[in-house]
Amino acid sequence: MSTNAALFERAQRSIPGGVNSPVRAFRAVGGTPRFITRAQGAYMWDAEGQRYIDYIGSWGPMILGHGHPEVLDAVQKAVVDGLSFGAPTEREIELAEEILKLVPSAEQVRLVSSGTEAGMSAIRLARGFTGRSRLIKFEGCYHGHADALLVKAGSGLATFGHPTSAGVPPEVVQHTMVLEYNNVEQIEQAFAEVGNEIACVMIEPIAGNMNFVRASVPFMKRLRELCTQHGALLVFDEVMTGFRVALGSAQSLYAQQIAGFKPDLSVFGKVIGGGMPLAAFAGPRDIMAKLAPLGPVYQAGTLSGNPVATACGLTTLKIIQRPGFYEALGQRTQSLIQGLAGAAQQAGVPMVGDSQGGLFGFFFADHLPQNYPAVMAHGSDKFNHFFHAMLARGMYFAPAMYEAGFVSAAHTEQDIADTVAAATQALS
Ligand SMILES: *Cc1c(COP(=O)(O)O)cnc(C)c1O
C-alpha cells in the first residue's frame, strides 16, 4: 500500500472521513488524498516525496507562495514574543490600518479567526444595525458554514429556504432567501415583495465556490440600487477575492465600472492571514459602532487578532503592495488559462476559462456559465479525468470541478509552461 493510502486509512480511524475539512477527502474526484509534508514557493511535497505544482495555495491564503522568507521571519519573531495574550497589541492596529488603507469602503474593521466567523458576524451586525431579519444569498455562493447560510432555495421566491445540512433546524433558515446569481429579475421581485424586511444581501462578487463566475456589472449595479432604496446592507464576501483578484479586492473592480460603487460591509479572510487563522469584517464607522463593546451586537473571540497571525497577515499585505505585484500575478494566471485552453483546443476538447489577478477557473464547455445551475449542468466526468491525469503528472489542482484555482507570485513562467505541457498530454 502507498504511504498516502496508509496514512488515509489511519486518518479515517481517528478523524471523521480522515480529514478536517471535507473537500480534502477527494470524494468528488475519487482516489487517495495526498498527505502533504512540506511546501516551498509554488511546490508541495507529499508523504511519498512526490512534488506537485500547487494550484490551491491552501485555498487562497498563499498568494506569495509557500515559505516566503520575509513572512517566515516575521512569524518567527512574533512567536518568540508570545503566542497569544488575550489583550490588545499594536500589531492589530497596524493590520487594521493596512486593511482600511487598501479598502476605501471600510472605516473600521474587526479581526476574527476564520471566514466563517467573519461572515456570521457580519450578518449579525447587519441584522442588528437594520433591525431586520431577512437575508438574501445566491445559489452557488459559499459564505462559510454558519447555520443560517447552509440553505438552498425553496419552491417559490419568497418561500422559506431549506437547510442543506442535517443539524440545521428549518426555523434557523426561515429568514434566508436563496436567489439565482446574475438574475436581475429575481432580485427585483424579491425586493418588490419583501424589500423592507431585508437586513442584507450577501454575495461573492466573483463566485469562487462554483468554480469561477463573475457577477455581471448590470446585476451588481441593480443590486446596489435596490439595497440603497430599501435600506438593506450590501455585504461583499471577499474572503476569497479579497487581495487576491486585485489590491483593492473585487470591490475596486466594480468601482471602476459603476460610479460611486461600494459595498456596505466587507468580509475578508484567506489572503489577509497569509496562511494563519485570521479573517475580518469591515464597514463604515456608524455600522461598526453597533458592535460590542460600543453597541448592542455581541461578537468576541479568544484568539481574535492573534499576535502570530497578525504578523503573518501584516507582512503578506505589505509585500502585495509592491509595484507590479498584481500585474505579474495576473499575467502569470492568464498565461496558465490561455495555455490550458490552447492545449484543449489542440486535443479537440471544448474548454473555456477566465481569471482575475491570481484567481482562475475553467470549464469543459463552450461558454462560461453565469450561475450555479449552468455550472452544475456540465457534469464532472471530464474534469475528474483531467484532475487525476494532472495529479499523476505532479500538478495539484483543486479536487472538485466547482472550486476555483489559485496562482501565487512564486509560480514561474517555467511552472506554467510545465503545467501546460502536462495538460497537453493529459487532454490528448
Ligand atoms: C473560504 C470561504 C469562506 C469561509 O472561510 P473559512 O476560513 O474556511 O471559514 C467564506 N466565504 C468565502 C467566499 C470563502 O471562499
Side-chain angles (χ1 to χ4, degrees):
M1 189 189 290
S2 76
T3 312
N4 286 311
L7 285 170
F8 192 40
E9 203 180 271
R10 184 174 144 213
Q12 290 175 79
R13 288 198 286 271
S14 56
I15 299 169
V19 292
N20 285 307
S21 199
V23 72
R24 299 178 196 171
F26 275 27
R27 286 284 176 104
V29 292
T32 306
R34 304 306 194 256
F35 282 69
I36 304 301
T37 52
R38 70 189 176 92
Q40 180 59 50
Y43 312 123
M44 296 200 295
W45 286 265
D46 73 8
E48 291 162 25
Q50 168 73 45
R51 191 195 83 166
Y52 301 93
I53 299 182
D54 178 14
Y55 288 107
I56 301 185
S58 187
W59 300 96
M62 311 314 296
I63 195 164
L64 305 177
H66 298 278
H68 190 288
E70 289 169 67
V71 174
L72 291 189
D73 190 49
V75 167
Q76 279 163 352
K77 285 197 173 112
V79 163
V80 174
D81 288 337
L83 296 178
S84 183
F85 312 123
T89 62
E90 186 176 359
R91 206 176 291 127
E92 292 163 83
I93 316 173
E94 289 178 324
L95 180 57
E97 289 171 349
E98 212 62 34
I99 293 169
L100 300 181
K101 186 179 91 186
L102 298 173
V103 183
S105 69
E107 293 171 342
Q108 287 200 315
V109 55
R110 172 67 55 89
L111 303 179
V112 297
S113 300
S114 75
T116 293
E117 200 187 345
M120 178 187 81
S121 304
I123 285 170
R124 186 181 306 136
L125 177 59
R127 286 171 161 169
F129 178 78
T130 57
R132 303 172 177 179
S133 299
R134 277 195 194 263
L135 71 96
I136 290 180
K137 80 176 282 286
F138 298 96
E139 197 180 13
C141 288
Y142 177 66
H143 305 294
H145 60 89
D147 282 355
L149 297 168
L150 295 178
V151 53
K152 64 172 186 275
S155 50
L157 244 197
T159 59
F160 299 155
H162 303 297
T164 52
S165 166
V168 177
E171 308 84 70
V172 174
V173 299
Q174 66 177 327
H175 302 295
T176 311
M177 291 169 82
V178 183
L179 305 184
E180 197 173 273
Y181 201 73
N182 276 327
N183 188 325
V184 174
E185 276 162 39
Q186 282 198 5
I187 52 167
E188 286 183 336
Q189 198 183 332
F191 271 96
E193 284 176 21
V194 292
N196 61 352
E197 298 169 21
I198 297 170
C200 66
V201 177
M202 195 169 206
I203 186 166
E204 283 185 79
I206 298 173
N209 287 287
M210 49 171 158
N211 198 323
F212 182 107
V213 182
R214 295 170 191 268
S216 77
V217 170
F219 174 72
M220 193 60 84
K221 186 163 180 280
R222 193 72 190 115
L223 198 53
R224 176 67 277 181
E225 287 165 0
L226 288 166
C227 285
T228 305
Q229 275 166 26
H230 291 85
L233 301 187
L234 178 58
V235 183
F236 257 38
D237 181 351
E238 299 232 42
V239 172
M240 188 180 287
T241 53
F243 311 101
R244 160 68 54 188
V245 299
L247 183 58
S249 304
Q251 54 195 270
S252 70
L253 305 172
Y254 287 95
Q256 281 164 19
Q257 300 180 75
I258 305 168
F261 180 88
K262 57 181 179 186
D264 298 299
L265 292 176
S266 302
V267 183
F268 297 102
K270 297 187 171 129
V271 168
I272 63 165
M276 297 287 291
L278 198 156
F281 58 105
R285 201 171 297 274
D286 61 331
I287 303 180
M288 297 302 282
K290 296 289 178 204
L291 282 175
L294 295 178
V297 178
Y298 189 69
Q299 192 280 327
T302 301
L303 295 177
S304 292
N306 174 271
V308 184
T310 48
C312 188
L314 184 60
T315 310
T316 302
L317 287 194
K318 291 246 160 85
I319 295 170
I320 61 176
Q321 292 176 58
R322 292 183 183 158
F325 182 89
Y326 285 91
E327 287 77 1
L329 182 67
Q331 275 164 19
R332 207 62 46 84
T333 312
Q334 263 177 11
S335 58
L336 173 70
I337 285 300
Q338 282 162 5
L340 292 179
Q345 200 177 17
Q346 213 179 310
V349 179
M351 181 198 271
V352 282
D354 196 2
S355 71
Q356 187 73 48
L359 188 68
F360 70 84
F362 58 88
F363 300 87
F364 290 100
D366 295 314
H367 304 285
L368 289 171
Q370 296 301 307
N371 57 36
Y372 186 71
V375 170
M376 297 319 272
H378 291 306
S380 53
D381 284 3
K382 279 200 182 98
F383 174 83
N384 291 355
H385 281 298
F386 178 73
F387 169 83
H388 279 295
M390 292 299 276
L391 192 68
R393 291 170 172 81
M395 306 298 159
Y396 198 106
F397 284 89
M401 68 158 238
Y402 48 83
E403 304 286 356
F406 304 85
V407 171
S408 80
H411 287 75
T412 62
E413 283 298 347
Q414 189 60 52
D415 294 327
I416 304 295
D418 292 348
T419 308
V420 171
T424 305
Q425 289 178 3
L427 288 162
S428 67

